[in-house]
């Protein structure tokens, strides 16, 4: 399937790069011309615009920073959709919006698939990231060969909208975990514990998590650059809060997490890296949560491999 990719940012650029390494022919587009030029130097073709990419390709993948950006790109592509065209939306977006967008796509005879990713930018680059795919089963099976290049674990979540709901849930959980790890690491430092020992104690215990094995390392090294900014965190956890409110779920932790992230953003800047939330506690406690032996950037050490669909357990 002739494929185009729109959105070459922190995650999209890595997804598109992995795709280019495997399918060799890829049309790309981004508002940042330098990103497009870098991909062209690697063998991609400058797609010129979202409209032209949709005209020239059977499948168009988007990875964009916000629901507003997604809507803008879709509006440009929509007049050029027709039967046989497929739009794969890999952005983290509003679940209700993607349902409405998919209906407009269907009206042209084309097909929409939502496929948000989870697992970190470093795993997007190697194709070891996880993908949630929402679509009719026939559409999912048609794009599965592409999705298994882009991700290691591909989960068909059901109809359009289900994948986006699950994605904002996982980002909410990751944010909550990040904030509790910040509190744990700072408290152990203030209590006189060795931070390398603290890291290992968490890693080998019931307190361990994906967030700890990745972001805690960047906190302790002082890098604090997980390639995920506070504005994106607030978008995602805000979408989760909206979902809960729409279904009358009286969340207690979520509003507090949003307030904490907004405070961090006010202190360090709208585009500050989310791992800098540790600095709020360092400043308050008068300690430095740093130690030697941890990396400045994350590297996916798992060898790249072709992905596969995650098969649900019966029950």
């Amino acid at each position: 399937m002739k494929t185009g990719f729109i959105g070459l940012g922190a995650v999209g650029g890595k997804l598109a790069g992995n795709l280019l390494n495997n399918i060799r022919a890829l049309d790309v587009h981004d508002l940042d011309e330098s990103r497009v030029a870098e991909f062209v130097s690697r063998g991609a073709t400058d797609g010129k615009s979202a409209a032209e990419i949709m005209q020239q390709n059977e499948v168009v993948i988007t990875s964009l920073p916000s629901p507003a950006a997604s809507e803008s790109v879709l509006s440009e592509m929509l007049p050029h959709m027709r039967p046989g065209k497929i739009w794969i939306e890999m952005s983290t977006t509003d679940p209700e919006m993607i349902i409405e967008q998919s209906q407009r796509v269907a009206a042209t005879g084309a097909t929409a698939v939502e496929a948000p990713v989870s697992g970190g930018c470093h795993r997007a680059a190697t194709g070891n990231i996880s993908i949630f795919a929402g679509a009719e089963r026939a559409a999912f099976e048609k794009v599965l060969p592409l999705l298994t290049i882009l991700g290691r674990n591909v989960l068909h979540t059901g109809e359009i909208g289900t994948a986006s709901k699950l994605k904002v849930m996982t980002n909410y959980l990751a944010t909550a975990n990040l904030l509790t790890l910040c509190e744990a690491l700072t408290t152990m430092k203030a209590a006189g514990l060795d931070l390398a020992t603290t890291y290992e104690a968490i890693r080998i215990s019931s307190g361990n998590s994906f967030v700890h094995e990745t972001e805690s390392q960047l906190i302790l090294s002082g890098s604090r650059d997980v390639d995920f900014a506070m504005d994106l965190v607030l978008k995602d956890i805000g979408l989760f809060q909206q979902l809960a409110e729409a279904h009358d779920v009286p969340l207690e932790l979520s509003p507090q997490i949003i307030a904490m992230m907004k405070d961090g953003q006010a202190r360090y800047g709208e585009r500050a890296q989310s791992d800098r939330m540790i600095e709020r506690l360092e400043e308050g406690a008068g300690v430095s949560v740093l130690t030697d032996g941890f990396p400045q950037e994350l590297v996916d050490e798992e060898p790249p491999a072709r992905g596969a669909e995650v098969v649900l357990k019966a029950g």
Side-chain angles (χ1 to χ4, degrees):
M1 294 184 286
K2 193 168 186 298
T3 303
F5 201 106
I6 300 171
L8 305 175
V11 176
K14 293 178 176 62
L15 291 168
N18 181 51
L19 202 57
L20 181 62
N21 291 339
N22 284 276
I23 68 174
R24 299 298 178 187
L26 188 68
D27 291 352
V28 298
H29 176 63
D30 193 279
L31 294 179
D32 187 335
E33 294 181 359
S34 66
R35 293 175 180 170
V36 175
E38 192 270 330
F39 267 81
V40 170
S41 73
R42 294 166 57 187
T45 301
D46 183 351
K48 305 298 184 184
S49 68
E52 189 166 331
I53 283 191
M54 180 54 72
Q55 290 170 4
Q56 299 298 323
N57 291 276
E58 181 182 357
V59 178
V60 177
I61 302 170
T62 54
S63 179
L64 301 161
S66 68
S70 174
E71 177 58 28
S72 177
V73 168
L74 177 61
S75 296
E76 190 176 343
M77 296 190 300
L78 205 59
H80 308 285
M81 292 184 176
R82 61 177 185 271
K85 299 277 190 180
I86 300 173
W87 172 44
I88 302 177
E89 169 63 297
M90 301 194 77
S91 318
T92 301
T93 191
D94 184 327
E96 296 306 315
M97 176 180 284
I98 190 64
I99 293 170
E100 189 274 334
Q101 289 174 326
S102 72
Q103 292 169 347
R104 282 188 281 149
V105 170
T108 71
T111 300
V113 176
E114 57 165 348
V117 299
S118 182
C121 290
H122 63 302
R123 292 178 68 82
T126 58
N128 288 328
I129 204 162
S130 295
I131 299 175
F132 300 153
E136 293 182 2
R137 183 69 200 185
F140 170 75
E141 290 179 354
K142 189 168 185 179
V143 300
L144 185 57
L146 269 179
L147 297 182
T148 55
I149 293 173
L150 289 161
R152 174 65 68 88
N153 297 301
V154 182
L155 177 65
H156 182 220
T157 59
E159 62 187 10
I160 286 274
T162 55
S164 292
K165 291 172 183 176
L166 289 168
K167 176 59 194 297
V168 298
M169 175 202 71
T170 62
N171 279 11
Y172 167 73
L173 290 171
T175 304
N177 194 188
L178 170 64
L179 296 179
T180 57
L181 283 164
C182 287
E183 293 189 347
L185 292 170
T186 306
T187 300
M188 292 303 98
K189 174 66 177 182
L193 275 292
D194 176 76
L195 288 175
T197 303
T198 298
Y199 174 86
E200 288 300 324
I202 298 171
R203 189 186 66 80
I204 65 172
S205 73
S206 59
N208 194 32
S209 66
F210 176 84
V211 175
H212 176 61
E213 291 190 357
T214 54
E215 297 192 52
S216 289
Q217 296 200 67
L218 299 180
I219 287 171
L220 293 171
S221 73
S223 162
R224 296 170 184 183
D225 185 359
V226 73
D227 212 0
F228 200 60
M230 291 187 188
D231 62 333
L232 296 178
V233 173
L234 278 163
K235 177 202 71 173
D236 293 349
I237 62 178
L239 288 170
F240 178 76
Q241 178 66 30
Q242 289 174 25
L243 182 62
E245 291 172 357
H247 293 278
D248 300 319
V249 182
L251 301 183
E252 298 178 71
L253 290 177
S254 176
Q256 180 65 20
I257 289 169
I258 291 171
M260 292 167 71
M261 292 302 307
K262 285 183 175 179
D263 178 69
Q265 191 179 54
R267 292 176 187 235
Y268 309 120
E270 182 179 358
R271 295 288 299 157
Q273 289 295 306
S274 55
D275 289 339
R276 291 191 63 188
M277 289 297 288
I278 189 73
E279 295 171 20
R280 296 168 68 252
L281 292 164
E282 287 179 317
E283 293 164 9
V287 298
S288 176
V289 184
L290 296 169
T291 194
D292 294 332
F294 291 90
Q296 290 293 309
E297 62 181 20
L298 297 175
V299 176
D300 183 13
E301 297 179 350
E302 186 176 1
R306 190 67 177 243
E309 180 183 357
V310 175
V311 178
L312 299 179
K313 294 180 180 179

